[in-house]
């Protein structure tokens, strides 16, 4: 094996590793964005369902309708802790990935976007 071939091979391996790092960085950044949206949606949904319950109470709706609406509020509130847990995990995963592989992705759009999302 000649030296020129080894140089080309190691360059290929470097670029392959870099592309894998950037791919993982994009995935982790996307996961964080999705989880942020999930938490935002759950919080809006809770507020909407609570408002609907208050409106029903002020309208003097019957107990069965109020119980059903209260059940919806409770179910919606119950989904929030899981969404918050997944968001916290996505933040921790992205931070750990940047700490471990940030130098490999230095100066890339992907790293800049990830860091901005964490700021």
């Amino acid at each position: 094996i000649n030296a020129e071939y080894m140089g080309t091979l190691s360059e290929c391996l470097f670029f392959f590793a870099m592309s894998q790092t950037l791919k993982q960085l994009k995935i982790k950044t996307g996961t964080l964005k999705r989880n942020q949206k999930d938490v935002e949606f759950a919080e809006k949904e809770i507020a909407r369902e609570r408002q609907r319950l208050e409106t029903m109470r002020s309208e003097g709706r019957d107990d069965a309708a109020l119980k059903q609406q209260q059940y919806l509020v409770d179910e919606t509130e119950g989904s929030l802790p899981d969404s918050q847990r997944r968001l916290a995990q996505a933040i921790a995963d992205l931070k750990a990935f940047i700490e471990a592989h940030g130098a490999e992705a230095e100066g890339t759009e992907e790293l800049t976007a990830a860091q901005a999302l964490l700021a």
Side-chain angles (χ1 to χ4, degrees), residues 16 23-24 32 35-36 38 44 47 53 63 81 95 99:
F16 177 75
K23 181 179 178 182
Q24 286 300 310
L32 178 54
N35 282 299
Q36 284 177 328
D38 287 348
K44 288 178 184 176
L53 179 60
D63 286 343
K95 283 182 178 179
E99 189 174 308

Side-chain angles (χ1 to χ4, degrees), residues 15-27:
F15 288 116
F16 177 75
M18 174 104 169
S19 70
Q20 292 302 309
T21 298
L22 295 179
K23 181 179 178 182
Q24 286 300 310
L25 186 57
K26 283 182 182 180
I27 290 169

Side-chain angles (χ1 to χ4, degrees), residues 43-87:
E43 290 170 344
K44 288 178 184 176
E45 187 70 15
I46 289 168
R48 187 174 29 250
E49 294 301 334
R50 284 181 182 162
Q51 182 60 44
R52 189 174 294 153
L53 179 60
E54 290 306 313
T55 302
M56 292 172 74
R57 284 185 180 142
S58 67
E59 293 173 349
R61 295 279 186 98
D62 64 271
D63 286 343
L66 291 174
K67 277 186 177 181
Q68 183 158 359
Q69 185 60 33
Q70 183 62 54
Y71 176 77
L72 279 172
V73 170
D74 294 343
E75 284 294 311
T76 306
E77 288 174 340
S79 71
L80 186 58
D82 183 53
S83 295
Q84 290 170 328
R85 180 193 55 76
R86 286 185 283 116
L87 176 59

